[in-house]
Each structure stands twice: as structure tokens, then as C-alpha cells.
Amino acid sequence: MKIAGVICEYNPFHNGHWRQLRWLKEEKGMDAVVCALSGHFTQRGEPAVAGKGQRVKMALDCGADLVLELPAYYATRSAYWFALGGVLLLAAAGAGYLAFGAETDDLPALSATAARLARPDPAYLDALRRFLSAGLPFAEARAKALTADGRRNFAPALPNDCLALAYLQVIAEKGLALRPLLLPRAGADYHAVALPAGGAGPASGLASAAAIRERLRRGAGQYHSRRLTLARLEGLGLAPYMPAAALRHLAGAPLVFPADA
């Protein structure tokens, strides 16, 4: 039986997530997909826009076969700890594959760099210490250290690339048999806060979760309500960017935004 695991937040579930689940079932021939899903709080330490119950229902109605909660101890921490909790949870659940998205469609480059991070050499560690001592943030210091000695390592700068590298690093460190499945990110930029204009093609209807959350925040203010009906959600223009089942589960759910925390 072919089982794929996905580490996710679904904050909220949108067409990009649906695209991945359909890809796993229809193109990769997976018999089942298991999700390791964050609970009420996300990796940034912010509350999810909808409760974990609604997000679990979104996932199950849109193609997932089993949803397991990623404990907050892992879900709210850095990319490495987020990856560690998710990878170990999915491996224990019997997944043979780990599916993830990335901005860079180069699995060999990601895997080679992950192997070096899993077993760091003195040259990399010395360079990392040097850049950190200079006051650089960890992500920037790591990227510079990976290429400081002239090696052609992959230096991640974009969010999904960083997570992909963390997943592969954990797999290498732990010697797990999980086989990686990389689906390149399509559609809007991860940080985009505006819904994309309509259009044809495979990237149409692919908005960022950040843009959907921003539209929900504005809608909640517009209607003076943290529980929006399906009609109001559709009136906000979200239907082209979320599967119908996901939108239905969002309807009537209490919405939470970072400013509420």
C-alpha cells in the first residue's frame, strides 16, 4: 500500500493544497494520504484563522484519508523542529513517502545540501559561527556558510525551500526510509497579501494563504462578525481560490486573527 505523508497547517485549506492532494492520488498513485496538521497555533506562533476541527474537516473532505495533530511543541517552532515533529509523526504512522512543495524544482540540490546539514563538516560550522558572530540572522548566516568554501550547495532563501530542506535534513539525520516527493509551488507568492487576478492556466485560482486570511480579516470587519455565512464568504470573492467543501467548513466558524491573541 502506497501511503504519502504531508506536513501542513491548512490556514486555511485552499486550491494549492487541493492541487497537491489530487497530484498524490491521481498522478503518483497513492492509496492514502496522511496529514500531520498544526493545531490551534501555527509555526509563526500565531493562532490559526479557523480552529483545528474545521481545518481537519476541510482536509478530509478534500482528499486526505487521515489527519494527525502535530503537537504545538513542534508546530510553533523553527523550520527544523516543525520538520522533526512532522517527519517522525508520519514515519510512525506508516507513510512511505513525504510530499512537500518548494519554490525550487531541484530535489537533487536540496537533498545534497540536506545531507551536509545532517552531518556538518568543520568548514561549514566554522563559517556558520563566523557569520552568526557578525550578527547575521540564522537563515542568512546558514545560506552564506553553505557556499563560503566555494561548494555548490543550495542556499535556501524562500519559505517552502527552507521547509523542504528541513524535511530532507531530518530524513537524512534519522536514517528514515521516507521517499521525498517534490511538487513545485505554483501561483501566488507565499507572502502575497492580495488575491491574484483571474485567468486561465494551471496557476489560476492559486492564491496564497496569507491573501485569503487578509480577505477574511477585512470581511470580518466589513460585516462586524467573526462568523461569516457561506454567502458572505462567496461575496468576498473566495470561491475561486478554495475548494467548495473547504469554504463550506469555513462558513459559520469563529474566525481568529493575530491581533486577537
Side-chain angles (χ1 to χ4, degrees):
M1 187 174 185
K2 295 175 68 175
I3 302 174
V6 176
I7 305 170
C8 50
E9 293 182 328
Y10 294 159
N11 186 32
F13 192 100
H14 56 63
N15 284 352
H17 304 131
W18 192 38
R19 168 178 173 257
Q20 182 189 50
L21 296 185
R22 287 186 292 126
W23 175 72
L24 288 171
K25 294 283 187 74
E26 298 171 9
E27 295 188 32
K28 293 301 179 180
M30 293 295 140
D31 297 301
V33 176
V34 180
C35 294
L37 177 70
S38 301
H40 291 308
F41 291 90
T42 67
Q43 193 190 352
R44 292 162 295 280
E46 297 175 349
V49 71
K52 61 185 179 183
Q54 282 80 22
R55 288 164 31 245
V56 167
K57 292 174 184 176
M58 291 178 190
L60 292 174
D61 277 359
C62 293
D65 297 282
L66 175 65
V67 179
L68 304 173
E69 182 173 355
L70 179 62
Y73 179 82
Y74 297 104
T76 59
R77 299 181 73 181
S78 66
Y80 176 80
W81 287 94
F82 183 85
L84 179 65
V87 167
L88 293 180
L89 181 61
L90 292 171
Y97 300 83
L98 180 69
F100 52 86
E103 287 87 0
T104 300
D105 186 13
D106 194 341
L107 185 57
L110 286 164
S111 297
T113 302
R116 189 181 187 193
L117 292 175
R119 297 169 184 82
D121 53 83
Y124 163 74
L125 291 174
D126 288 344
L128 180 63
R129 293 189 195 100
R130 186 168 68 253
F131 290 124
L132 289 173
S133 296
L136 293 181
F138 177 78
E140 185 179 351
R142 183 180 67 168
K144 286 182 175 293
L146 285 169
T147 56
D149 57 358
R151 296 194 193 187
R152 290 190 172 185
N153 286 127
F154 180 81
L158 298 172
N160 287 291
D161 282 348
C162 290
L163 278 174
L165 192 60
Y167 299 148
L168 294 168
Q169 179 183 347
V170 171
I171 290 172
E173 283 179 351
K174 304 301 181 184
L176 300 173
L178 280 170
R179 284 165 283 184
L181 293 174
L182 168 60
L183 178 64
R185 183 181 177 88
D189 181 79
Y190 179 92
H191 295 295
V193 292
L195 297 176
S204 63
L206 296 179
S208 71
I212 293 173
R213 291 194 300 271
E214 175 61 17
R215 183 60 60 91
L216 288 169
R217 185 189 67 80
R218 293 185 181 184
Q222 173 186 341
Y223 293 113
H224 305 289
S225 174
R226 293 304 173 93
R227 295 176 183 265
L228 301 179
T229 64
L230 181 58
R232 286 180 172 178
L233 290 173
E234 292 172 341
L236 293 175
L238 294 177
Y241 307 102
M242 295 179 64
L247 203 61
R248 285 197 303 271
H249 287 303
L250 194 59
L255 301 177
V256 181
F257 303 101
D260 301 329

